[in-house]
Amino acid sequence: MTADNDLDAGLPIRLLHDRVLVRMEGSEGERRSTAGIVIPATAAVGKRLAWATAVGVGPNVRAIVSGDRVLFDPDDRSEVELHGRGYVLLRERDVHAVAAERIENDSTGLYL
């Protein structure tokens, strides 16, 4: 969990404090339902959180490492472009969840 993470093909940036640099998954335009129905970007939906992949973390980030999938509110974000590719810069406190790996079948799921 250091600032020296290998940022997505060696991007020229070093994150400070509690910042997390993420790459959005998919596009923010049209979405497809599980049944295969295309939902246009202009469709009115409630507040929707977005998933992204962490590509770098600052030295004070405690719960996220590069490669984690994180859930955040796309309305509260700062966008940055590096080497022609768009990223989102967040504070660790703006991340609502980190995707967890599935629990093994023989595991109780309890931490003792």
Side-chain angles (χ1 to χ4, degrees), residues 44-107:
V45 292
K47 190 168 186 169
R48 185 178 189 92
L49 299 177
W51 287 101
T53 302
V55 294
V57 296
N60 297 336
V61 174
R62 297 178 291 166
I64 302 168
V65 296
S66 290
D68 281 349
R69 289 186 65 225
V70 297
L71 185 66
F72 70 99
D73 184 355
D75 294 334
D76 300 330
R77 67 181 183 185
S78 299
E79 296 182 17
V80 64
E81 186 174 318
L82 299 168
H83 289 268
R85 190 167 198 181
Y87 296 90
V88 176
L89 186 62
L90 305 166
R91 291 177 182 255
E92 183 178 24
R93 68 180 180 206
D94 295 332
V95 173
H96 296 284
V98 176
E101 294 182 15
R102 295 215 178 261
I103 297 173
E104 297 175 15
N105 291 335
D106 59 344
S107 174

Side-chain angles (χ1 to χ4, degrees), residues 7-18:
L7 290 175
D8 199 47
L11 294 176
I13 189 171
R14 187 179 77 209
L15 298 170
L16 303 175
H17 310 295
D18 66 340

Side-chain angles (χ1 to χ4, degrees), residues 18-68:
D18 66 340
R19 299 304 194 271
V20 180
L21 186 68
V22 299
R23 182 180 58 237
M24 295 292 294
E25 297 177 3
S27 67
E28 296 178 36
E30 295 181 339
R31 295 185 313 274
R32 190 172 294 271
S33 73
T34 54
I37 299 170
V38 175
I39 303 167
T42 57
V45 292
K47 190 168 186 169
R48 185 178 189 92
L49 299 177
W51 287 101
T53 302
V55 294
V57 296
N60 297 336
V61 174
R62 297 178 291 166
I64 302 168
V65 296
S66 290
D68 281 349

